[in-house]
Amino acid sequence: MRTFKSGLGDARGSGGGGFRGRASAIAFAVLLGVTGGSPARAQGVSDTVLKLTNQALNTDLAKTFQRNRAKQKLAFADSLCRRGCNPEATGSLELLRGIIRAYEGKKDESREAFAFALEADPAIDLPSRHADGAPGALWDEVSATDEEAPVLAPPPREPAPPVEKKKPKAPPEDREPDDDASGLPIELRAAAQVSGYSDTDSVDVINPGLLIGVEDPVNGWGVNASFLVDVVSAASPDIVATASPGWVDIRFAPAIGGHVKIDDVDLSINGSYSQESDHRGITAGVGVAVDTMNKQVTPSIAYSFGYDTAGRNGTPFDVYALNLQRHGLVGGVTIVLDKATILVPGATVVFEAGRQEKPYRYLPIFDPNTPLEPGESIDSVNEKRLDGRMEERLPDLRLRGALSALLAHRTGSVTIRVSERLYADNWGQLGTTTDVTVPWDVTKRVRIWPHLRVHAQTAVDFWQLGYTAVSNRGAAGGASLNLPQYRTGDREMGPMVGVTGGGGVRVALGERTPALSFTGDVIYTRWLRHLYRTERLGGFGVLTLEVETR
């Protein structure tokens, strides 16, 4: 049984879920070790804030197109200082805020921030690299000591938590390192999920999984890992028609990945493995994304390689195996149209070489003059078919291609996501898939969404309702059947339409996490020209528990 699919999948496409940033429980223990409220913890927070603001002032703001990264570090440092910062860290934070506001043309906010910076740390000064232009002019206004120069008194603020008397500022190389500070920016994310599927073809799947990872938003790196288990039972018409019993199989699928951001370039790498009793597969990939135009345009490209080996249960792979290798290339670009709208066009090309037929699939053979109708029953097929049966046989080379586009727009508390995907391959199959999801934030902690997906596809060139064979009689009186070169019983290669509808809900039990979400869909498929069955009704559900901490 070959259940491992490429990212492109068949003409219907394939949906998936997951989240970015996963890692080991060691990082979780480290994070738990820094959640106390000791003086060392407070000093660690201040040192981390100083590190963030210095990076933003000396590196990010040195280039205009990295200003958004400086703003991200400002927001993160601001959240840390709510736990209490010393005057030096508070002054540096407000100085960064004032410089950013000055570059943005927000003069009043810049003056206010500069005033707070001087109030917290009278010894603070504007870095020379920002002394020219708007930041320098506004700083001079606020820091002027001449009686005739305007001095902006800072408006009242909530009193800061008491801190020890400020010590003389030590140069960075003389400051003692604080172990707590290094762990503060790290985000740990974990999710446990259980999904299930069942349909009228007697196919049942239960799929528990664990996903965990670590992300450092400040330094721009992350690692992730997942482990999924598929328990599948089936008794499809294709198997029953050949007098074979149903089966149960278990698939194990570990995966790992990571990324690192160097300036505006994000490099990623990933790998996965799949193991069943009669199949194994391995996939590895690399990717790169580049932020351009102040992060308003982010092109990306990724390459993946996969190698699958399919066999028969109980038979060693060195005795019988069908090998398939896959090369995939995915390109796209994320375009920020405005503050509420993004557009993501993309293209996918997959080249497959090797044996793609299913080891257990055998097809009935018919005389050319035998009339057949879609949906013929098993008994009817057995009455009409010729003696014997033939294995499925597919071309050894397949080139798949797809063009896609995603448009997402946020209006109020509602986001509208619409995607379209057009598919074609060198086997003559064409497909189109339209997907619409509308997430709605009912409250700060509750989100619901309806979901609708419509798919239609044509058949591959060699598709037939029933494959026929002509008898060839030899001179000695023997007979043989002239079989078609390519033949398949895979309904996913025939003409079909499908509609999926459902929705989901996500409830945050804390400010952000833990969160519990459930997604459920009803899937209706109509096969337009196929034996045994012409329709299928199925259901798919996913229950997920997410936890995030830093």
Side-chain angles (χ1 to χ4, degrees):
M1 177 191 63
R2 179 175 296 174
T3 58
F4 186 81
K5 297 283 187 179
S6 70
L8 187 66
D10 52 38
R12 296 177 304 156
S14 59
F19 64 91
R20 197 172 169 203
R22 303 155 187 157
S24 67
I26 298 177
F28 185 71
V30 171
L31 290 175
L32 291 180
V34 299
T35 55
S38 64
R41 162 73 171 175
Q43 182 61 40
V45 170
S46 298
D47 287 348
T48 300
V49 169
L50 284 170
K51 176 183 176 182
L52 291 170
T53 55
N54 287 333
Q55 287 178 350
L57 289 169
N58 299 321
T59 303
D60 299 330
L61 288 180
K63 299 179 181 180
T64 303
F65 55 80
Q66 290 188 341
R67 192 175 300 160
N68 282 343
R69 185 179 296 181
K71 293 174 68 175
Q72 292 174 353
K73 291 178 180 177
L74 171 65
F76 188 70
D78 203 14
S79 67
L80 292 177
C81 262
R82 295 194 187 105
R83 310 172 190 176
C85 283
N86 62 26
E88 180 185 359
T90 303
S92 183
L93 173 66
E94 295 297 339
L95 180 66
L96 173 61
R97 192 194 315 276
I99 292 174
I100 292 176
R101 296 296 182 264
Y103 282 129
E104 294 176 338
K106 301 176 181 179
K107 296 182 179 181
D108 290 341
E109 294 183 20
S110 177
R111 293 189 188 97
E112 181 185 49
F114 285 154
F116 283 130
L118 288 167
E119 180 187 26
D121 184 3
I124 199 168
D125 197 7
L126 188 72
S128 58
R129 69 172 65 240
H130 302 292
D132 297 330
L138 295 172
W139 175 262
D140 289 342
E141 289 184 23
V142 176
S143 62
T145 57
D146 193 323
E147 294 181 357
E148 296 180 359
V151 178
L152 180 65
R157 266 193 181 180
E158 295 183 4
V163 295
E164 297 180 7
K165 184 177 180 180
K166 181 183 173 185
K167 297 180 180 179
K169 189 185 299 185
E173 60 271 18
D174 295 336
R175 186 178 293 122
E176 295 182 359
D178 189 275
D179 293 336
D180 289 349
S182 62
L184 287 171
I186 300 296
E187 295 180 356
L188 175 70
R189 300 175 184 175
Q193 72 174 35
V194 177
S195 62
Y197 172 85
S198 182
D199 64 28
T200 52
D201 267 358
S202 300
V203 176
D204 299 300
V205 182
I206 186 74
N207 174 215
L210 177 65
L211 308 96
I212 188 168
V214 168
E215 187 77 18
D216 186 338
V218 175
N219 296 307
W221 62 266
V223 293
N224 59 79
S226 66
F227 187 81
L228 305 177
V229 179
D230 282 333
V231 182
V232 185
S233 66
S236 71
D238 295 333
I239 294 176
V240 174
T242 57
S244 299
W247 46 264
V248 176
D249 204 357
I250 300 177
R251 179 174 75 101
F252 301 95
I256 190 169
H259 80 100
V260 60
K261 193 160 188 179
I262 304 173
D263 292 331
D264 293 313
V265 179
D266 197 346
L267 304 174
S268 61
I269 186 171
N270 61 80
S272 63
Y273 179 75
S274 174
Q275 177 70 57
E276 301 171 62
S277 61
D278 54 5
H279 175 270
R280 66 188 177 199
I282 185 169
T283 301
V286 295
V288 59
V290 182
D291 291 329
T292 65
M293 299 178 63
N294 200 21
K295 296 190 177 182
Q296 291 188 313
V297 178
T298 304
S300 63
I301 190 169
Y303 166 79
S304 64
F305 172 79
Y307 192 86
D308 294 354
T309 301
R312 291 191 173 123
N313 193 12
T315 302
F317 286 129
D318 56 359
V319 175
Y320 176 86
L322 302 179
N323 297 315
L324 173 68
Q325 60 175 280
R326 180 183 301 106
H327 303 268
L329 195 64
V330 180
V333 56
T334 300
I335 305 172
V336 180
L337 300 179
D338 56 45
K339 63 180 181 180
T341 310
I342 64 169
L343 174 65
V344 188
T348 302
V349 177
V350 174
F351 176 73
E352 297 171 328
R355 303 290 297 277
Q356 302 195 42
E357 49 268 13
K358 304 301 185 291
Y360 302 111
R361 181 170 286 146
Y362 292 89
L363 309 177
I365 310 171
F366 299 95
D367 184 273
N369 298 318
T370 301
L372 295 172
E373 296 292 335
E376 293 257 11
S377 67
I378 295 174
D379 291 338
S380 176
V381 168
N382 287 335
E383 289 178 1
K384 294 181 177 182
R385 69 182 179 88
L386 301 176
D387 292 338
R389 55 183 181 170
M390 57 183 172
E391 293 181 328
E392 182 178 57
R393 187 69 177 94
L394 301 174
D396 289 340
L397 300 178
R398 191 175 193 182
L399 181 63
R400 302 168 177 258
L403 296 176
S404 63
L406 166 68
L407 180 66
H409 177 72
R410 179 78 171 181
T411 172
S413 59
V414 177
T415 302
I416 303 172
R417 294 171 53 92
V418 181
S419 66
E420 175 63 28
R421 177 176 177 271
L422 302 176
Y423 170 90
D425 63 33
N426 66 328
W427 292 2
Q429 190 166 54
L430 303 174
T432 174
T433 306
T434 304
D435 196 290
V436 180
T437 306
V438 186
W440 173 31
D441 295 327
V442 181
T443 68
K444 185 178 179 180
R445 296 188 178 184
V446 178
R447 172 180 296 173
I448 63 174
W449 59 90
H451 172 231
L452 178 65
R453 179 179 183 270
V454 180
H455 172 77
Q457 71 181 46
T458 64
V460 295
D461 291 338
F462 50 87
W463 175 265
Q464 293 184 29
L465 177 63
Y467 289 89
T468 61
V470 178
S471 177
N472 296 322
R473 295 191 176 276
S480 62
L481 291 177
N482 185 17
L483 301 176
Q485 180 181 10
Y486 300 124
R487 59 265 182 181
T488 181
D490 189 348
R491 286 173 287 181
E492 310 305 328
M493 295 189 189
M496 59 174 282
V497 294
V499 178
T500 300
V505 58
R506 182 182 187 276
V507 179
L509 306 179
E511 183 176 354
R512 294 179 59 183
T513 65
L516 194 64
S517 61
F518 174 77
T519 300
D521 285 303
V522 176
I523 307 167
Y524 174 76
T525 305
R526 178 78 178 183
W527 294 286
L528 305 180
R529 195 164 174 263
H530 197 282
L531 296 176
Y532 307 125
R533 290 194 181 169
T534 58
E535 60 183 7
R536 177 181 65 197
L537 186 65
F540 178 74
V542 183
L543 180 65
T544 305
L545 175 63
E546 307 168 52
V547 178
E548 178 180 324
T549 185
R550 64 173 59 159

